[in-house]
Amino acid sequence: MASNQPAPEAPSPFRSDSFGDEGRTWEEWNPTEESIRPVRGRHRVAKQRGLARSSTVLGVGVIAAVGAGGMATAQSKPPVSISLPDSIADNLPDAKSLPGVGAFMSGDSDSDHGTVAASSPLTTAGITAAEAEGGATDAGEALRARILQQAEQQQAGADAEAKAAQEKAAAEAAAAQAAKQQSVAEAEAAAKKKAAEEAAEKKAEAERLAKLAASYAVPTSSYYISSTFGQAGSMWSSGHHTGLDFAAPTGTPVKAVHSGTVKSAGYSGSYGYRTVLELDDGTEIWYCHQSSMDVSAGQKVTTGQTIGRVGATGNVTGAHLHLEVHTADGTGIDPMAWLRGKGLTI
């Protein structure tokens, strides 16, 4: 009949008293003949407490160095399970009892080595308070945040410079456009001013000519111009025409072009009957080839007054009024230009 009592536990190859207290004595272990071949001599398994402690210290130091240097952190890595035999795990020494290691875990300092305990997790080594408040949880994340921050600052600076350059270019373009518009406006204003001045001058000239026309008169009527001043030909003794010919029917009235004094009136060779009218400025008007004269020397006449009649006396080929204009010094000038200068239409 089966028993409910638990089977006796098989003896462990490691004694529970082989670790922990350094004051205990070493025990001997002799394998049986069933497990191994017999060998000569006595064997002992030494407790490797010194090696275990050194390995633990080295491992913690490496982790601390990695974390304090701000290098890669194990926080973002998946956890790795490490399995140990129960017989070993149950007999491992307490980490706080290890020299130089307990200070990292308990916050106390090791008086033998002067080691300062870490007050924060190794994964946050090198993280500033501002970064911690911003959500940085480890050194790698803090480094990444710093790099991104620097990149953003550089980009912001570049954007600011580009914006300033654009604003400067826009301001220069606006200034150039304004200057161009101002130039166009000034040119338009100048053109308008010039046009207004020209219009004013034309108006003034028209008024002047109208006023002159009121005081000057065309020398005859019912005429057409048959010969002009300076016209070349063999009919004139000088080789060219010295006056302006108004062809008109015989007996057409000849009028004083302006008020003045009759300087002479009589027959004058090739000119036939000629009347010389002297104006106040010394200009002389010669009326030639008349059929008759109605004034005499020394007589004063007014503008438009009849002083004779169109005829064909002297050296002529037909009835007409030969008109000459001489300046005060006796120089003959173009009668048509002179009459037009007085506002008359010829």
Side-chain angles (χ1 to χ4, degrees):
M1 178 170 143
S3 175
N4 294 327
Q5 298 294 328
E9 185 178 357
S12 174
F14 300 95
R15 295 177 58 87
S16 59
D17 60 352
S18 61
F19 295 91
D21 191 1
E22 296 182 0
R24 295 183 181 182
T25 60
W26 292 88
E27 299 294 338
E28 296 181 358
W29 175 62
N30 294 321
T32 61
E33 295 180 357
E34 290 79 8
S35 60
I36 60 173
R37 188 176 56 182
V39 295
R40 296 180 63 186
R42 294 163 59 90
H43 300 275
R44 299 174 62 188
V45 178
K47 298 179 182 181
Q48 302 296 324
R49 295 185 62 183
L51 177 60
R53 179 179 297 178
S54 300
S55 300
T56 303
V57 173
L58 179 60
V60 173
V62 170
I63 295 174
V66 172
M71 303 301 288
T73 175
Q75 182 173 354
S76 60
K77 303 295 183 178
V80 179
S81 300
I82 301 175
S83 299
L84 293 175
D86 294 339
S87 59
I88 297 178
D90 294 339
N91 293 283
L92 287 175
D94 187 2
K96 294 183 179 180
S97 65
L98 298 177
V101 177
F104 287 103
M105 304 180 66
S106 63
D108 300 332
S109 60
D110 193 325
S111 59
D112 296 337
H113 298 81
T115 304
V116 179
S119 61
S120 61
L122 296 177
T123 57
T124 61
I127 301 177
T128 63
E131 292 170 344
E133 292 178 358
T137 57
D138 55 44
E141 183 66 21
L143 179 59
R144 176 177 175 275
R146 293 173 189 171
I147 294 174
L148 291 177
Q149 183 181 10
Q150 292 178 358
E152 290 176 356
Q153 292 175 352
Q154 293 176 356
Q155 184 64 36
D159 293 342
E161 292 179 358
K163 184 177 180 181
Q166 292 177 355
E167 292 177 351
K168 181 179 179 182
E172 292 177 351
Q177 183 65 21
K180 182 178 180 181
Q181 292 177 353
Q182 183 177 2
S183 299
V184 172
E186 290 177 354
E188 292 178 353
K192 291 180 179 179
K193 182 179 180 182
K194 183 178 181 181
E197 291 175 352
E198 291 177 353
E201 290 176 358
K202 289 181 179 180
K203 183 179 179 180
E205 181 66 12
E207 292 176 351
R208 185 186 71 83
L209 293 177
K211 185 177 181 179
L212 286 174
S215 61
Y216 285 84
V218 178
T220 189
S221 60
S222 302
Y223 68 89
Y224 69 90
I225 302 300
S226 59
S227 297
T228 57
F229 178 80
Q231 183 176 341
S234 58
M235 295 184 297
W236 302 286
S237 59
S238 62
H240 62 275
H241 195 223
T242 58
L244 182 64
D245 289 349
F246 294 81
T250 300
T252 303
V254 174
K255 301 176 182 179
V257 297
H258 193 58
S259 60
T261 303
V262 177
K263 187 175 183 179
S264 65
Y267 196 84
S268 182
S270 60
Y271 286 107
Y273 287 105
R274 181 186 71 172
T275 299
V276 177
L277 178 63
E278 185 179 13
L279 306 183
D280 294 338
D281 62 357
T283 302
E284 293 182 356
I285 310 299
W286 293 6
Y287 300 87
C288 307
H289 306 308
Q290 297 178 86
S291 59
S292 63
M293 297 177 292
D294 296 342
V295 293
S296 58
Q299 183 180 345
K300 291 187 178 294
V301 298
T302 60
T303 302
Q305 181 179 344
T306 300
I307 60 174
R309 303 286 172 172
V310 174
T313 59
N315 186 13
V316 296
T317 57
H320 70 278
L321 171 64
H322 176 84
L323 185 73
E324 291 189 11
V325 178
H326 296 260
T327 61
D329 62 0
T331 303
I333 60 176
D334 185 0
M336 183 176 290
W338 185 85
L339 291 171
R340 289 177 174 175
K342 303 305 180 182
L344 300 176
T345 300
I346 305 301

